[in-house]
Amino acid sequence: MKRFMATVLTSLALATLTTAGTALADPVLGTWKTQPDDGAYAHIEMAPCGAAICGKIARTFNDSGEYASPNIGKTLVIDMVAQGDGHYRGEVWRPSNDKIYTGKMDLDGNSLALRGCVAGGLICSKQDWTRVK
């Protein structure tokens, strides 16, 4: 019985590590540059948040260069869950109007299409982001 329990516990530990490793290896992780919105853009740091992916504002820029926005550190991409083939679903926050929308992301190499949607996903506003190297 002890040997059986040890085998079960080892299997569970390996499955947990494999799941955590998969989240860490998600190709959407890293830093992304947003499209300008109301004259400003940001660098978003995408990282695991539980079983999902979240993106926090890391740096902000406007026509004068980098500036210290009060939004630095706030979560813009909220609980995006991989759907397979580079597609994600979750929520997005738009700082300019302080609203949260149903979110969709589509990853294609170093390009990320991010959409915030209303009306059950029928009406969406899209931004194309690029990976910061």
Side-chain angles (χ1 to χ4, degrees):
M1 184 66 171
K2 285 184 182 181
R3 176 173 268 189
F4 173 75
M5 289 304 293
T7 302
V8 169
L9 290 175
T10 301
S11 296
L12 286 173
L14 287 174
T16 301
L17 288 173
T18 302
T19 302
T22 301
L24 293 175
D26 194 301
V28 80
L29 300 181
T31 305
W32 295 87
K33 178 184 173 186
T34 68
Q35 264 184 242
D37 187 8
D38 292 336
Y41 68 93
H43 285 179
I44 308 299
E45 185 66 34
M46 303 289 251
C49 56
I53 302 292
C54 293
K56 291 189 178 191
I57 300 171
R59 300 171 71 188
T60 52
F61 304 85
N62 61 20
D63 294 338
S64 301
E66 188 168 3
Y67 73 100
S69 167
N71 293 324
I72 291 176
K74 292 185 178 177
T75 303
L76 186 84
V77 176
I78 306 162
D79 294 331
M80 285 287 181
V81 176
Q83 305 294 304
D85 295 325
H87 303 292
Y88 299 79
R89 301 288 179 262
E91 296 180 318
V92 294
W93 172 60
R94 185 173 184 202
S96 62
N97 65 4
D98 195 29
K99 293 193 182 224
I100 294 177
Y101 298 93
T102 299
K104 300 176 184 180
M105 293 190 318
D106 296 303
L107 178 66
D108 183 13
N110 289 323
S111 297
L112 184 65
L114 182 101
R115 294 182 307 284
C117 305
V118 296
L122 296 175
I123 302 169
C124 299
S125 179
K126 179 183 162 197
Q127 275 202 353
D128 292 313
W129 295 3
T130 55
R131 188 181 300 276
V132 175
K133 297 186 182 203

